[in-house]
Amino acid sequence: WEGLVERIKNPSRRIRIAICGKYVNLKDAYKSIIESFIHAGVASDAEVNLIWVSSEDIKHGGAERYLADIDGLLIPGGFGERGVEGKIDAIRYVRQNNIPFFGICLGMQCAVIEFARNVCGLADAHSFEFYRDLKHPVIHLMADQEGVTELGGTMRLGAYPCELDRNSRSFDAYGAANISERHRHRYELNNVYRDMLINNGLLMAGVSPDQRLVEIVEIPSHPWFVGVQFHPELKSRLVRPHPLFRDFVKAAVAYQMKRVGEAPAPAESVDVTRARR
């Protein structure tokens, strides 16, 4: 335990990860994410300095103005149309500049929209959550949510299984092909567009056991680009940092080292589980 505290207080490096959302003026809205970055930072012996960026500021001022000197970008979950275009613009910027990206729930859906627009050429791609009259609703209402009028407590909630592609970064992170993660959503990737997205380079890295729901998307050609439909921050612990947060921070460290021209350090495995003794 003393060793963990020492790493938190005196990390060997500091990295800058931007959180782009619309609740950034009330940071406790992202409390679980903040804590997950502390856990993941310990695993990489790095302090994660969070840069809070309003998605509405990016919408009006452009992504480069706010994201030019970051080592990674996280787009968290949320509801409603406000700020979505700023999130999409932020994702485009980090995708094109090979900056590590992690999208959670709505963050993953925004990544799909951005990819559909700017890689697949569907300029008007969007989510059915925000606009009903869409030519390309690449994010759509889940089939079992159709006709639901009572919104309280009727979302896809709780833990659900997921099968990982063995050639994915997610599989590398978890070290397992079958996982279980906690959900809170009612919209999903529209399977009508699944083949088009795949053919243009988006990997369906995790799917439900019946293959109906896409749980994780990745861009294999990108240094680290992962979007998940679930909420991994809810399962992270100090002595058990969530695998995806851990590897995202690791990728951000590698990006920073490359950006400043620093030679990579010898690989080191941080045994945070020793604290259980």
Side-chain angles (χ1 to χ4, degrees):
W1 188 259
E2 290 175 351
L4 291 174
V5 173
E6 177 65 21
R7 285 182 178 272
I8 293 173
K9 296 177 67 175
N10 299 292
S12 63
R13 68 171 60 248
R14 290 171 173 81
I15 60 172
R16 293 165 54 87
I17 290 182
I19 294 182
C20 177
K22 65 179 181 180
Y23 310 126
V24 295
N25 291 326
L26 183 61
K27 296 178 179 60
D28 272 4
Y30 306 114
K31 182 62 173 174
S32 295
I33 288 175
I34 295 171
E35 294 298 315
S36 296
F37 275 123
I38 295 175
H39 309 159
V42 171
S44 286
D45 195 14
E47 178 182 326
V48 180
N49 292 328
L50 297 178
I51 311 302
W52 299 93
V53 181
S54 168
S55 53
E56 292 178 285
D57 286 344
I58 288 184
K59 177 182 178 180
H60 298 295
E64 185 173 8
R65 177 179 177 183
Y66 297 96
L67 305 178
D69 59 350
I70 64 170
D71 302 307
L73 170 69
L74 181 139
I75 303 287
F79 293 92
E81 188 270 339
R82 181 169 64 88
V84 165
E85 289 301 327
K87 296 175 183 179
I88 293 171
D89 193 34
I91 295 169
R92 176 198 55 77
Y93 179 82
V94 298
R95 178 183 58 80
Q96 293 178 340
N97 289 279
N98 290 321
I99 300 171
F101 168 76
F102 192 14
I104 294 176
C105 202
L106 179 59
M108 174 259 205
Q109 295 174 2
C110 287
V112 172
I113 295 170
E114 191 280 327
F115 193 90
R117 288 182 182 179
N118 300 314
V119 179
C120 300
L122 305 180
D124 55 353
H126 220 303
S127 171
F128 189 72
E129 178 182 359
F130 312 129
Y131 302 103
R132 298 307 195 201
D133 185 19
L134 286 174
K135 184 177 181 181
H136 295 297
V138 294
I139 303 298
H140 209 280
L141 191 66
M142 298 177 62
D144 57 5
Q145 290 288 318
E146 294 179 3
V148 174
T149 57
E150 298 295 330
L151 299 185
T154 59
M155 291 183 287
R156 186 175 186 236
L157 296 166
Y160 286 88
C162 173
E163 296 180 351
L164 302 182
D165 187 310
R166 292 180 178 271
N167 295 313
S168 66
R169 296 191 182 279
S170 297
F171 178 81
D172 292 341
Y174 284 96
N178 296 283
I179 62 171
S180 175
E181 291 286 359
R182 292 170 61 182
H183 295 68
R184 188 173 186 267
H185 66 105
R186 65 176 77 252
Y187 291 86
E188 62 167 328
L189 187 151
N190 189 341
N191 286 326
V192 170
Y193 296 91
R194 191 190 287 199
D195 287 343
M196 175 183 289
L197 294 166
I198 292 172
N199 291 337
N200 280 277
L202 192 67
L203 174 66
M204 308 294 122
V207 296
S208 60
D210 61 8
Q211 308 297 304
R212 290 178 55 246
L213 302 178
V214 175
E215 302 276 26
I216 306 175
V217 297
E218 298 181 8
I219 300 179
S221 60
H222 190 281
W224 208 91
F225 191 106
V226 178
V228 300
Q229 185 60 76
F230 47 81
H231 288 270
E233 70 273 20
L234 301 181
K235 295 183 69 174
S236 186
R237 302 291 184 269
L238 180 57
V239 297
R240 287 182 286 109
H242 192 281
L244 293 177
F245 272 93
R246 181 200 65 214
D247 280 17
F248 175 48
V249 168
K250 183 179 178 181
V253 169
Y255 175 82
Q256 183 194 71
M257 295 174 70
K258 182 178 180 180
R259 179 165 59 87
V260 302
E262 181 181 344
E268 177 185 0
S269 178
V270 180
D271 184 10
V272 296
T273 61
R274 290 185 60 189
R276 297 181 183 177
R277 301 176 185 174

